Amino acid sequence: MRRLKVGVMISGRGSNLAALIAACADGSVPAEIALVISNRADAAGLDYAARAGIPRALIAQNDRRAFAAEAEAVLGRHGVELIALAGFMRVLDTGFVEAWRDRMVNIHPSLLPAFRGLHAQRQALAAGVRFTGCTVHFVRPELDAGPILAQAVVPVHPDDDEERLSARILAAEHRLYPLALRLIAEGRVRVIGERVEIAGWQAPDLVAFNPCEPLVSSAD
Ligand code: GRF
């Protein structure tokens, strides 16, 4: 099967990059990570790319248009067909975002459109929601907006702090992003009128309650 060539853009830890690399390597996703771009030389995620033998590009340009021009050049050289943002912490040039319309995805640690921007997990705790999660969406110029491709739901526990909740969401991210990439690589995904249609996939048939009934009553 033909493998979709993906460019991943990171700024830091790179755990989602690692999940995507693993999913492409074990054959569950018909894609290959053809390039990793970082805007920071000290991004720990660059090590995952190095260990997997994936070409890396450091683009430290602060100017948005200059960054976009360098990125276009290197993406073109490596034949990248889809960009996956994975903890990429810079705002991209609008022209670049438009040029990659419906060919660039992002993962965000909330159920969008709730809790856009930084510290989505902290925002969820402050709002007191019982469920949050993560979202893979196509990128639009507006921050953390764009057609939603896939979401995973994560419960908020009564004793959660930001660290515990973030870890629970991150574990879901590492499953959701490879799934989303697989759907795209298999050619099942179409954006129609700012909504995403997925061919041949079902939604789960479940209702989750939080709080849910305790097995043993705490009043006893
Ligand atoms: C993730 O929580 C992702 O949702 C957000 O940035 C974080 C990146 O983590 N956009 P990592 O670098 O993939 O470990």
Side-chain angles (χ1 to χ4, degrees):
M1 195 182 207
R2 206 187 84 80
R3 287 156 72 86
L4 184 75
K5 288 192 172 217
V6 180
V8 181
M9 293 175 55
I10 63 167
S11 298
R13 182 176 56 186
S15 68
N16 278 289
L17 167 65
L20 294 176
I21 291 173
C24 291
D26 74 14
S28 57
V29 176
E32 75 171 276
I33 310 301
L35 174 70
V36 172
I37 294 178
S38 174
N39 66 313
R40 296 183 57 121
D42 61 356
L46 285 169
D47 293 345
Y48 293 116
R51 261 179 265 148
I54 297 167
R56 290 159 292 163
L58 172 66
I59 307 179
Q61 278 284 355
N62 272 327
D63 178 78
R64 270 185 216 173
R65 294 186 91 160
F67 182 96
E70 276 194 39
E72 281 293 5
V74 71
L75 288 162
R77 275 204 297 282
H78 290 274
V80 168
E81 300 163 286
L82 178 87
I83 297 174
L85 304 180
F88 183 71
M89 300 303 286
R90 288 208 43 190
V91 176
L92 288 162
D93 173 62
T94 303
F96 182 86
V97 175
E98 290 298 355
W100 286 87
R101 191 180 181 86
D102 300 344
R103 296 185 300 144
M104 176 158 56
V105 288
N106 179 45
I107 188 158
H108 182 76
S110 75
L111 293 173
L112 289 174
F115 314 133
R116 291 173 172 163
L118 291 175
H119 308 301
Q121 304 90 337
R122 196 184 301 170
Q123 293 183 55
L125 287 171
V129 294
R130 299 299 185 208
F131 291 101
T132 181
C134 48
T135 302
V136 176
H137 64 97
F138 287 96
V139 176
R140 294 292 183 261
E142 194 190 336
L143 188 70
D144 298 324
I148 290 170
L149 168 53
Q151 294 186 307
V153 175
V154 172
V156 180
H157 293 181
D159 57 349
D160 268 350
D161 57 17
E162 198 178 343
E163 196 181 329
R164 275 194 293 269
L165 180 59
S166 298
R168 195 175 307 120
I169 294 172
L170 194 64
E173 292 184 41
H174 296 161
R175 296 169 62 191
L176 187 72
Y177 218 175
L179 168 64
L181 181 59
R182 173 180 166 196
L183 294 173
I184 296 172
E186 289 179 347
R188 297 176 186 273
V189 172
R190 285 196 305 166
V191 181
I192 296 169
E194 295 302 89
R195 287 163 54 104
V196 176
E197 285 187 5
I198 303 171
W201 277 66
Q202 297 285 320
D205 182 18
L206 68 83
V207 178
F209 292 85
N210 185 10
C212 55
E213 240 176 314
L215 292 175
V216 178
S217 166
S218 58
D220 293 344

